[in-house]
Amino acid sequence: MSRGWGPWDSRPPGSYHFQPHPFGAPHGRPGMGPSRPPWQPQSYPRGNPRHPHHQHRQKRGWDGNGFEEWGGYMAAKKAKLQGQFQERQGKNAASNSTSAAIFSVPSADELKRIMMTHGGTYHHYYSRHHTTHIVATNLPDSKVRELKGEKIVHPDWITHSLKEGRLLDDHPYQLYVRPPANQATINFPKLDDSAKGLMKAEIPGAERSGGEENADSASSRNTGEKFTGVSGGGNANKKVGSSTKANTDVCTDVSADEYLGITGSHKREAKSESLLPLVNMQDQGVGRGILYVPEISKEASGKPDLHSSRVTESSEFNGEGLPFSGRPNILEKCVKTGDVLDVQVVNPDSFDEEVKKFGAGSSMDSDHPLKGNCASERTPLEGVACFRMKSKDEVCVTAIVKEPSKKEREAASLEDNVNCKTVEEGEGTGMVSKPLSSTTNEDYVLPHSNLPQNLKMTSELEIPQKSELSLADDESGEKHGKEGGRSQAPAIDSCDNEQEVMNLNEDDWDWEEEKVVIMPKSPETVKPSTSHSTKSSKDANFLSEFYSHSRLHHIATMGAIFKQYVDEKSRRKNPSFPGLDRFRLWLQMQPERVKEEDIESRVIMHIDMDCFFVSVGLRNNPDLRGKPVAVTHSKSRGPIQPRGQDIQYELEYYQKKTWEKGKKVGSSMLMDENPGEKANQLFDDTCSTAFVSSCSYEARAAGVCNGMFLGEALKLCPQLKTITYDFESYKQVSYLLYDTLAEFTHDLEAVSCDEMYVDCKKILKDIKATPLQFASFLRQEIKEKSGCPCSAGLGPNMLVARLATKVAKPDGQYHVPSSQVGAFIANQKANDLPGVGWKLSKRLDILGIKTCLELQKLNEGRLQEEFGAKSGTTLYHLCRGVDNRAVTSTHQRKSVSAEVNYGIRFTKPDEVQEFLNQLSAELASRLSSLSVKARTFTLKLKVRALDAPVEPVKYMGHGVCDNIARSVTLGIAAREPSIIAREVWKLHCQLSAIPSDLRGIGIQATRLEADDMSSSSSSVAKQQSIRDLMTANAKPKKFQPLTEVGKIDFDVLAQLPPDIQDEIHKEYHLPKKTKVQQDGKGPIPKPTENIKIGEQEKKKAANLCGETETDALRELLHQWVASGPIPQEEDVQVLSSFLCDLIQEGELEKTLLLLKRLHREVRKLKEERQANCWIEAYSCIVSRVQAQCLVNYNATLDLSE
DNA sequence: ATCCTCCCCTAC
DNA sequence: TAAGGTAGGGGAGGAT
Ligand SMILES: Nc1ccn([C@H]2C[C@H](O)[C@@H](COP(=O)(O)OP(=O)(O)OP(=O)(O)O)O2)c(=O)n1
Ligand SMILES: [Mg+2]
Ligand SMILES: [Mg+2]
């Protein structure tokens, strides 16, 4: 890694050079030779040189640095103004029966829950583009003015609608008079059931005159916290869903959603959106909707599943009607302001029938104008629409769309993959380029480049060459239109491209639509600006520049590196632990000896470097030792120019948040005053918004915290000195830390680059030593080698060890014997429990709980009710000092992602696409270096709340945002950048966020699968030979739920008060004085034995063939698959034979059932272990069975699905 | 019951 | 100016 210079080498030439003992070096320790510069070069394992780094902070709440609100600001604020702000979150959170609280005045949280539950979307902040209604009870004039044109309604509108089971007209609930303009009453069709459906459909729909909005994500799925949401989309989904299969699809897939989204749009805003949705659908390429406009059908409107919405704005409608290029004339006639659009999603199965009903059977005629385009589509979406005049002012549009079934869609994706792959291979672009930040993705090939057919299409269509322009337009148009959201209202904040969209003509539209999805952009369009600036996302090298400077990226990457490092070490065959000899030697010189009675059955140590980044940095800045120091990027003390008024906006939230945090900080830091509050008051727009990554303990004494803005820190501690980051050194010190520990044991669990757990049981037993002696020795070695201090906490379990570390810091150690756990834990702050962050802390506050002792007063049931089943149970145990997790050195990654929520500033869709391309390449690169592929890709966006200032307080930060995400699952795992880019672009189109409002973008890959065995020898989940697997897995450590009997921490249990003990005994049905399994990991049967046992069982059953009941056989299969890491050849043979026997006996059904069951199990395993061996075993079995079938029936079983 | 998606939360 | 990433637990709600 490093250039071989030792830790200092990464520094600029002048500053490194060994200094005798820069830091408070260790005073030589007995057993070791005089310290040589410990940080001497060490060969580090070839881990990828990704950026390392990491950090942690205590749960105090500085992280958020306060500029993000904490929940339903608008609603909360109003409520607060009215003095009715009662945080009853605790209450509502737990109950499913929200209904109770719902009808009273709900808190912000409750409102959010209610809205989301019923398909609406809740926005923390008002978003012009997304928010349809602002819920408030009172607003200051200034706000009202600010929100001019928006609907401000009383929360009763929601609760009453719920009560009524339908969406009520919001008029009576509007707080400030608004021009209803053309908003005649909306005649919502009555939805079948509950308010649920209504809310979804309607809320959104409630047309916001402004029209600007929304949409977005609102589209169909529930977007994160938007208020409206989903309206239409949601509605359609749910409602329809219940009656048809379409529903399912919608939820899962792109295309389906699209459509629904469209529906939603219609409703929600009357605007032109109505038609757009369809357009969007097509654009996305997910599935194209072909809308055919036949004659008027009268039954259209009456159906229960139809939703109507009023078209409030005609202008665009006409323009957007173009998508239905086939019959523009009809559209023009039917769609205009005041129109009502009905949309129905039909179950594919009954589609044809429905079509006939509407006399539109020919909708898919080959000569249909859209047909040509559709040809390339993978999942055509069929649809029919009817427009009919209801009155002179009203036109009813009914659309019937057949959604592709899930299977179809999956197949389509699969096809795509294949296509792309082929192309890529041919072009040699299949391989991902370089990884991370370090490199740009110059060679990245745009997805479209790989899709010749698309190009072809384009040419066929002979689109005019205004392509570029059009393209951009399209994109924006589609987005806007799509969800019905935002686009429309040109007046207000029009999106750059809006106008153009409207100008498109039919032909262009078709063309463009296609283009949006696949057309390559012209070089100029795509190419990043030539400037060398890397300030924002539109600049060429932004991504790599950002990653190379991001402390959080380094932290996360290093965390992963060390988890893997530990994993690898733990799998080593013949480990040697040279440190133990040194330890023995050292021990001999220690006067203290272990006393029998002090021997603990279990000792876990938690080690964490003290103010890690600072400590490493101080090695080169010895002058600063003993002074308040912080690591930060900032060089000056603030922005060049004052930021201006926007500060006020976020300050509101900031203050609120800091206050809360302050409480927490205050208590945990023993400060007698709330530092946050103080800083808060002094912070202004001239202060630096650079984060303090780590600060020295001297700085902490002044109230400075990790994660704080430098500006705040300086207010609290004017003499604070800052030093710069040195990521390379952090990584080197981390390796020193891990390598040092690895010389003693491999029973380690990496937490981060500066922190880990160590299972000391064996060492302390083998070498008679006290826990503290071991800790002393280790810490001494670490300090000598690295020049950095660390602290250690020891206890009978991980929880106690961790809490002890906090007591030990800085540069200390602390052991909590099992006999003192009860007393120790009782005094701990509930907020300090791992897993209790800001939110939970707040909820505990409401309950009046501050310490663990107080928390212990709530029984488990109550906690579960309050915090959820698992969280409740976990809390229940944690506050009692009970933690049965075993130190786990093996690690299996479940997801890989690449995200950027800083510096994201776009103006055009092209830029977004280009960025997504780069991010896709980055992700592909990461997947590649891990030798895994993924089946599911999720696009995560942060969208600026529209009333949030365009530029937040934090320079280039994301500010207050709504988060939205959407995922797609492919038929087969992939990692080609072109495929990721293409899929992600589709997702992006669906979310239809306005480029200029994007503040964060991320792509996450899940459902990972290992490469085929043939491939590289990278690492991680790499498949090994069966033999290797056997040995490697001989020592698996699995995280067990706390409730697992085997995991009960008996040592601790023994120390608990009798009544608690009883409770636990009862809980687990334990014999009263169990003393078994003190090990912690003991309870779980040994893997090897396990395997054998399992196998035998299976074989026996199969052999006996006695098990004839399907259920029993299924269970058997399950056990077999769970029996061990690899399928045994013998078992495969036995099972195959058995199934072949069944075939011969004519038990086809049963065989089919069993095979499907097995397939499912095996597939699950594949995902879990990222291993293929079971899949292979399955294939093997299937071939044999099919062969048998051929023999007996001259046919094969249909195992699809 | 269990799975899946889309979040939220927490941690470093 | 500054570089607010990333993995994993868990919950809600819907589909199966
Ligand atoms: N908000 C944060 C928290 C941490 N870190 C980085 C810097 C820290 O040095 C490192 C390790 O995090 P810790 O939580 O262990 O914090 P420190 O090591 O700095 O202090 P402590 O002595 O409390 O462990 O991660 C960061 O960049 N931003
Ligand atoms: Mg740490
Ligand atoms: Mg630390």
Side-chain angles (χ1 to χ4, degrees):
Chain A
M1 338 260 74
S2 47
R3 289 87 118 248
W5 269 77
W8 320 80
D9 63 351
S10 63
R11 224 137 307 119
S15 62
Y16 47 84
H17 295 334
F18 293 30
Q19 297 152 25
H21 272 247
F23 17 87
H27 319 306
R29 19 159 232 186
M32 288 201 53
S35 41
R36 34 122 220 240
W39 39 84
Q40 203 99 221
Q42 275 217 2
S43 50
Y44 299 113
R46 53 306 117 65
N48 344 342
R50 279 201 175 188
H51 316 285
H53 162 276
H54 131 238
Q55 69 141 0
H56 46 257
R57 55 205 186 148
Q58 293 145 28
K59 46 190 66 220
R60 49 189 152 268
W62 281 107
D63 323 327
N65 75 54
F67 281 82
E68 286 84 37
E69 51 35 78
W70 51 270
Y73 170 71
M74 283 305 196
K77 178 157 191 185
K78 285 166 193 180
K80 188 175 182 183
L81 286 173
Q82 240 198 5
Q84 60 181 16
F85 181 5
Q86 309 156 12
E87 264 293 305
R88 18 157 91 231
Q89 352 184 324
K91 210 186 202 180
N92 40 349
S95 60
N96 282 334
S97 54
T98 32
S99 45
I102 291 176
F103 300 109
S104 55
V105 183
S107 67
D109 277 1
E110 273 172 329
L111 273 177
K112 175 175 178 177
R113 271 172 45 83
I114 293 169
M115 288 181 224
M116 292 190 73
T117 299
H118 297 282
T121 300
Y122 177 94
H123 302 202
H124 279 175
Y125 295 95
Y126 159 66
S127 165
R128 197 169 293 128
H129 286 275
H130 308 256
T131 310
T132 57
H133 291 76
I134 289 156
V135 182
T137 52
N138 179 25
L139 280 182
D141 286 348
S142 60
K143 279 293 176 194
V144 175
R145 252 177 280 121
E146 216 177 277
L147 300 172
K148 188 172 174 195
E150 300 304 330
K151 281 188 181 178
I152 301 174
V153 299
H154 190 278
D156 283 352
W157 173 56
I158 292 172
T159 56
H160 290 179
S161 289
L162 256 189
K163 206 186 251 170
E164 289 283 310
R166 69 196 183 85
L167 191 69
L168 300 174
D169 178 10
D170 56 26
H171 245 71
Y173 298 92
Q174 291 186 26
L175 297 185
Y176 302 90
V177 191
R178 318 252 278 28
N182 51 4
Q183 313 193 6
T185 17
I186 301 170
N187 55 350
F188 289 106
K190 48 191 28 179
L191 299 185
D192 38 330
D193 52 343
S194 60
K196 192 181 213 174
L198 288 174
M199 289 294 280
K200 289 180 175 182
E202 314 320 12
I203 286 191
E207 53 259 347
R208 109 212 239 18
S209 46
E212 358 191 309
E213 0 303 339
N214 158 53
D216 86 318
S217 36
S219 51
S220 35
R221 65 163 32 28
N222 16 306
T223 96
E225 356 197 17
K226 288 157 152 282
F227 173 0
T228 303
V230 187
S231 54
N235 180 2
N237 282 340
K238 298 198 166 176
K239 220 177 169 184
V240 173
S242 57
S243 60
T244 74
K245 153 176 211 167
N247 190 11
T248 304
D249 291 338
V250 171
C251 295
T252 348
D253 258 66
V254 185
S255 47
D257 277 0
E258 281 302 347
Y259 180 62
L260 293 178
I262 292 171
T263 302
S265 303
H266 290 301
K267 301 196 138 252
R268 76 151 76 113
E269 312 207 322
K271 291 181 144 204
S272 54
E273 313 241 317
S274 341
L275 289 183
L276 282 181
L278 291 173
V279 174
N280 292 323
M281 209 167 28
Q282 297 178 355
D283 286 346
Q284 296 171 13
V286 173
R288 171 169 293 224
I290 296 179
L291 204 53
Y292 176 78
V293 186
E295 66 275 27
I296 292 145
S297 157
K298 47 168 162 204
E299 357 180 352
S301 66
K303 313 202 167 186
D305 272 333
L306 293 178
H307 307 285
S308 324
S309 76
R310 175 189 198 63
V311 175
T312 53
E313 257 191 47
S314 56
S315 50
E316 308 203 28
F317 202 99
N318 288 326
E320 313 203 66
L322 291 178
F324 304 105
S325 52
R327 327 258 162 127
N329 50 329
I330 293 182
L331 278 177
E332 277 179 349
K333 221 158 84 176
C334 301
V335 183
K336 45 179 80 156
T337 303
D339 288 354
V340 170
L341 180 66
D342 286 344
V343 177
Q344 178 178 33
V345 174
V346 176
N347 183 324
D349 297 330
S350 56
F351 176 70
D352 289 337
E353 221 176 302
E354 292 289 340
V355 168
K356 273 177 201 157
K357 246 193 248 171
F358 283 87
S362 60
S363 62
M364 299 297 277
D365 285 352
S366 59
D367 63 352
H368 187 286
L370 290 180
K371 179 86 182 241
N373 291 329
C374 292
S376 70
E377 309 253 322
R378 347 203 202 266
T379 311
L381 194 60
E382 301 170 38
V384 178
C386 289
F387 296 79
R388 83 195 140 79
M389 300 300 291
K390 268 182 131 178
S391 68
K392 71 177 172 196
D393 268 329
E394 237 173 322
V395 172
C396 180
V397 179
T398 297
I400 298 180
V401 174
K402 175 182 175 186
E403 296 194 61
S405 67
K406 190 165 192 172
K407 208 192 266 180
E408 285 172 332
R409 275 177 281 122
E410 206 159 82
S413 289
L414 208 147
E415 229 173 81
D416 288 350
N417 288 344
V418 173
N419 290 341
C420 291
K421 196 183 245 167
T422 304
V423 174
E424 283 179 357
E425 284 167 3
E427 301 180 2
T429 59
M431 206 55 236
V432 180
S433 55
K434 36 329 250 7
L436 293 186
S437 37
S438 47
T439 64
T440 31
N441 314 297
E442 337 100 42
D443 6 327
Y444 173 62
V445 177
L446 294 179
H448 357 292
S449 320
N450 295 329
L451 300 173
Q453 80 256 45
N454 294 325
L455 295 176
K456 190 173 101 198
M457 278 183 29
T458 301
S459 58
E460 283 174 1
L461 291 174
E462 259 190 339
I463 302 311
Q465 37 77 284
K466 64 182 207 166
S467 50
E468 316 284 294
L469 191 57
S470 302
L471 181 52
D473 294 346
D474 279 1
E475 288 175 354
S476 67
E478 99 187 53
K479 288 175 186 175
H480 299 314
K482 176 184 298 188
E483 313 277 1
R486 5 185 99 195
S487 56
Q488 291 34 349
I492 304 189
D493 52 345
S494 59
C495 162
D496 315 327
N497 315 300
E498 251 171 7
Q499 290 302 329
E500 319 204 72
V501 173
M502 319 276 269
N503 297 328
L504 302 176
N505 63 45
E506 296 178 37
D507 290 334
D508 287 350
W509 190 83
D510 287 344
W511 180 73
E512 296 192 48
E513 165 192 357
E514 199 58 29
K515 210 169 54 166
V516 172
V517 178
I518 39 180
M519 283 297 291
K521 318 228 162 204
S522 73
E524 306 107 301
T525 309
V526 171
K527 242 167 209 151
S529 61
T530 54
S531 87
H532 294 293
S533 162
T534 54
K535 281 165 56 175
S536 84
S537 50
K538 31 171 113 157
D539 300 308
N541 297 317
F542 172 77
L543 198 58
S544 58
E545 272 298 301
F546 169 72
Y547 275 135
S548 70
H549 289 92
S550 166
R551 77 188 203 281
L552 292 176
H553 168 70
H554 282 89
I555 286 178
T557 304
M558 285 201 85
I561 286 174
F562 289 103
K563 275 174 185 165
Q564 159 141 18
Y565 194 49
V566 165
D567 179 280
E568 284 169 2
K569 283 188 182 292
S570 75
R571 290 172 191 278
R572 254 179 221 176
K573 325 175 180 169
N574 304 311
S576 67
F577 301 109
L580 295 181
D581 291 333
R582 278 174 290 167
F583 184 37
R584 283 200 190 87
L585 204 59
W586 178 81
L587 262 186
Q588 290 172 9
M589 311 180 67
Q590 301 300 307
E592 191 186 359
R593 287 287 116 100
V594 190
K595 293 183 211 142
E596 272 307 317
E597 68 267 27
D598 288 343
I599 295 182
E600 301 269 341
S601 60
R602 195 172 173 219
V603 176
I604 305 296
M605 173 165 52
H606 175 248
I607 305 183
D608 187 293
M609 303 300 291
D610 297 327
C611 49
F612 190 46
F613 287 11
V614 167
S615 296
V616 172
L618 285 180
R619 302 188 309 174
N620 295 315
N621 296 284
D623 295 352
L624 298 179
R625 283 183 184 283
K627 295 181 179 165
V629 177
V631 172
T632 164
H633 274 305
S634 176
K635 295 189 174 77
S636 61
R637 287 173 87 85
I640 294 167
Q641 294 184 339
R643 283 173 290 264
Q645 66 154 123
D646 48 15
I647 284 199
Q648 286 308 63
Y649 172 87
E650 287 176 77
L651 211 48
E652 272 183 59
Y653 314 103
Y654 171 76
Q655 290 176 335
K656 198 184 248 172
K657 189 160 185 178
T658 5
W659 187 78
E660 294 291 340
K661 287 177 175 184
K663 259 162 102 180
K664 188 166 192 170
V665 173
S667 60
S668 66
M669 294 186 65
L670 306 176
M671 301 290 297
D672 53 6
E673 88 174 298
N674 182 341
E677 203 163 0
K678 187 161 123 196
N680 186 29
Q681 289 163 7
L682 299 173
F683 189 83
D684 60 39
D685 67 354
T686 63
C687 290
S688 168
T689 62
F691 286 117
V692 167
S693 177
S694 181
C695 59
S696 67
Y697 279 78
E698 290 78 6
R700 294 181 200 201
V704 178
C705 291
N706 288 359
M708 200 178 242
F709 282 160
L710 176 62
E712 304 167 66
L714 286 171
K715 299 292 185 194
L716 294 167
C717 180
Q719 70 281 28
L720 184 70
K721 303 290 183 210
T722 65
I723 58 179
T724 61
Y725 287 91
D726 183 0
F727 297 118
E728 196 57 33
S729 292
Y730 305 149
K731 195 200 289 189
Q732 291 178 353
V733 170
S734 292
Y735 269 117
L736 277 177
L737 171 68
Y738 279 89
D739 285 337
T740 299
L741 265 296
E743 291 189 4
F744 295 85
T745 177
H746 286 170
D747 278 333
L748 307 171
E749 180 169 330
V751 174
S752 72
C753 67
D754 91 324
E755 183 178 350
M756 75 178 90
Y757 287 99
V758 186
D759 188 335
C760 306
K761 181 188 170 185
K762 188 161 188 305
I763 292 174
L764 297 182
K765 190 176 133 199
D766 292 352
I767 302 177
K768 290 277 189 173
T770 66
L772 288 177
Q773 283 176 327
F774 185 43
S776 296
F777 187 80
L778 277 177
R779 293 204 302 120
Q780 185 77 346
E781 281 210 352
I782 292 164
K783 189 188 273 187
E784 287 184 2
K785 289 181 183 176
S786 70
C788 300
C790 67
S791 299
L794 303 98
N797 60 42
M798 294 169 78
L799 165 69
V800 174
R802 195 159 106 88
L803 293 173
T805 299
K806 189 172 178 182
V807 175
K809 276 181 177 293
D811 197 15
Q813 54 193 43
Y814 190 73
H815 178 208
V816 181
S818 56
S819 62
Q820 291 167 33
V821 167
F824 175 77
I825 198 75
N827 291 320
Q828 295 296 308
K829 302 286 181 210
N831 289 343
D832 289 337
L833 291 174
V836 177
W838 192 68
K839 288 283 192 182
L840 247 187
S841 171
K842 213 170 64 139
R843 292 167 69 174
L844 289 174
D845 267 355
I846 293 168
L847 296 175
I849 292 169
K850 290 185 175 55
T851 68
C852 286
L853 185 60
E854 290 165 343
L855 195 49
Q856 286 174 21
K857 298 196 172 122
L858 297 187
N859 64 36
E860 190 173 356
R862 176 81 183 88
L863 287 170
Q864 290 180 316
E865 188 182 301
E866 192 72 36
F867 306 105
K870 290 203 172 182
S871 305
T873 298
T874 299
L875 260 187
Y876 178 80
H877 290 293
L878 292 185
C879 71
R880 286 168 173 71
V882 175
D883 176 9
N884 299 291
R885 287 172 301 170
V887 171
T888 305
S889 47
T890 55
H891 175 63
Q892 177 79 82
R893 202 187 248 276
K894 292 175 179 161
S895 68
V896 181
S897 65
E899 25 196 293
V900 179
N901 297 304
Y902 177 85
I904 299 298
R905 297 292 186 277
F906 297 112
T907 52
K908 300 181 308 188
D910 276 357
E911 295 162 351
V912 178
Q913 186 168 36
E914 170 58 16
F915 189 80
L916 277 174
N917 286 341
Q918 291 180 22
L919 207 54
S920 296
E922 172 65 29
L923 181 62
S925 166
R926 295 183 193 185
L927 289 169
S928 179
S929 63
L930 290 169
S931 294
V932 295
K933 291 183 172 157
R935 280 226 301 146
T936 299
F937 292 92
T938 302
L939 175 68
K940 302 158 72 170
L941 302 180
K942 270 187 181 295
V943 183
R944 173 191 141 241
L946 281 216
D947 80 328
V950 173
E951 285 308 320
V953 170
K954 176 153 181 66
Y955 175 71
M956 282 289 141
H958 55 63
V960 178
C961 290
D962 284 312
N963 302 307
I964 56 181
R966 182 165 249 191
S967 62
V968 62
T969 296
L970 307 177
I972 55 175
R975 69 153 167 266
E976 289 77 4
S978 58
I979 292 179
I980 298 174
R982 178 166 41 78
E983 295 302 325
V984 143
W985 179 248
K986 285 183 200 169
L987 295 176
H988 175 260
C989 290
Q990 290 174 44
L991 292 174
S992 57
I994 293 179
S996 59
D997 284 340
L998 285 179
R999 289 294 178 272
I1001 298 186
I1003 308 174
Q1004 179 179 52
T1006 51
R1007 297 209 202 179
L1008 306 181
E1009 293 178 6
D1011 284 355
D1012 289 342
M1013 299 202 193
S1014 55
S1015 72
S1016 79
S1017 63
S1018 214
S1019 53
V1020 178
K1022 193 48 208 309
Q1023 208 41 53
Q1024 292 145 26
S1025 77
I1026 290 180
R1027 267 178 297 285
D1028 287 341
L1029 270 182
M1030 290 280 269
T1031 26
N1033 284 336
K1035 59 177 283 188
K1037 301 180 174 189
K1038 257 181 129 188
F1039 178 86
Q1040 298 290 319
L1042 287 176
T1043 48
E1044 196 97 289
V1045 175
K1047 295 213 136 195
I1048 290 188
D1049 196 326
F1050 290 86
D1051 285 47
V1052 170
L1053 183 56
Q1055 301 305 325
L1056 296 172
D1059 55 316
I1060 294 182
Q1061 279 194 48
D1062 282 345
E1063 218 174 319
I1064 294 178
H1065 277 290
K1066 201 181 292 174
E1067 180 75 33
Y1068 294 109
H1069 306 91
L1070 295 177
K1072 207 64 188 230
K1073 289 173 206 147
T1074 317
K1075 267 288 177 177
V1076 209
Q1077 319 281 15
Q1078 320 195 331
D1079 189 328
K1081 351 178 179 175
I1084 303 151
K1086 298 193 164 109
T1088 42
E1089 289 176 348
N1090 209 13
I1091 294 170
K1092 296 232 146 124
I1093 292 172
E1095 288 169 359
Q1096 285 189 342
E1097 245 180 281
K1098 193 265 142 203
K1099 279 190 278 187
K1100 206 179 274 179
N1103 282 335
L1104 289 179
C1105 203
E1107 292 292 8
T1108 51
E1109 277 184 44
T1110 306
D1111 282 351
L1113 290 168
R1114 274 213 216 148
E1115 177 56 24
L1116 209 54
L1117 286 181
H1118 176 73
Q1119 286 175 17
W1120 177 52
V1121 170
S1123 68
I1126 345 161
Q1128 298 301 295
E1129 176 60 22
E1130 190 184 352
D1131 292 333
V1132 173
Q1133 293 310 321
V1134 171
L1135 185 53
S1136 300
S1137 300
F1138 169 65
L1139 292 174
C1140 287
D1141 288 347
L1142 282 182
I1143 293 294
Q1144 288 188 303
E1145 290 168 17
E1147 298 269 31
L1148 301 186
E1149 283 292 316
K1150 185 189 279 184
T1151 308
L1152 200 57
L1153 217 79
L1154 292 175
L1155 279 176
K1156 285 187 176 178
R1157 167 74 177 196
L1158 182 61
H1159 189 207
R1160 214 176 128 194
E1161 297 265 0
V1162 146
R1163 180 147 184 162
K1164 197 165 97 190
L1165 261 194
K1166 180 177 180 180
E1167 287 179 16
E1168 282 171 5
R1169 303 184 188 172
Q1170 292 169 27
N1172 291 320
C1173 53
W1174 286 93
I1175 286 284
E1176 286 163 10
Y1178 169 76
S1179 305
C1180 188
I1181 293 168
V1182 169
S1183 343
R1184 277 201 54 188
V1185 172
Q1186 296 290 31
Q1188 188 68 53
C1189 282
L1190 280 175
V1191 171
N1192 293 359
Y1193 305 96
N1194 193 29
T1196 56
L1197 292 175
D1198 177 9
L1199 291 168
S1200 61
E1201 177 56 326

